[in-house]
Amino acid sequence: MKQIVISISDKTYLHLMQNGGRRTAGRVWVERDGSGRPEFRFEPYSHRQPVKVDQLLLKSEYGWLKKSAKRYRMRLSVPDHLGEQQAARIMERESRHLLDFLSDLEQFLNNI
């Protein structure tokens, strides 16, 4: 009976043990060791962690309010053809609306 040596890195071994021996996606190739015997090598694929998407809390006519893991984000964008005074009023109104929404949300969560 022929003996086959399979070489894996310590990191791969720990990954296999943590998964309870389940399948691990990766690549396998054959190399010859110093004595000429075939040696199988295995290297797992290094997949990227999924990116967490911000949660949309409120969408308004000229912007939105989103919540990420660490912060709230607000975006306002007013068309330039409305003029500076009209744009300033719209931005003030929208930001007041978003702030009111946040305070109402905080009160709601505190009452639960």
Side-chain angles (χ1 to χ4, degrees):
M1 179 160 119
K2 291 186 178 182
Q3 181 180 4
I4 297 175
V5 177
I6 300 176
S7 297
I8 58 175
S9 67
D10 294 338
K11 183 179 175 183
T12 303
Y13 180 75
L14 289 175
H15 179 71
L16 289 171
M17 292 300 109
Q18 289 172 351
N19 285 340
R22 290 179 284 180
R23 293 182 182 189
T24 300
R27 63 186 187 112
V28 176
W29 69 96
V30 178
E31 286 183 351
R32 299 277 180 187
D33 63 359
S35 63
R37 290 184 295 177
E39 189 174 342
F40 286 88
R41 298 242 179 224
F42 173 75
E43 183 177 300
Y45 295 135
S46 57
H47 296 290
R48 297 166 102 196
Q49 294 294 324
V51 177
K52 294 184 180 179
V53 179
D54 295 345
Q55 178 184 5
L56 179 67
L57 296 178
L58 182 67
K59 182 168 174 46
S60 66
E61 185 178 358
Y62 294 105
W64 46 254
L65 176 67
K66 291 183 178 181
K67 180 183 181 203
S68 67
K70 295 184 178 180
R71 56 182 67 227
Y72 289 97
R73 296 183 343 171
M74 177 178 72
R75 178 175 190 266
L76 293 174
S77 178
V78 181
D80 138 4
H81 66 82
L82 294 176
E84 292 176 2
Q85 290 181 353
Q86 182 73 11
R89 275 186 256 134
I90 289 173
M91 292 175 91
E92 184 180 339
R93 184 188 72 213
E94 291 288 323
S95 56
R96 201 174 323 113
H97 178 65
L98 295 174
L99 290 172
D100 290 343
F101 174 79
L102 273 178
S103 64
D104 291 344
L105 179 65
E106 184 180 6
Q107 287 177 1
F108 176 75
L109 293 175
N110 287 339
N111 290 335
I112 292 179

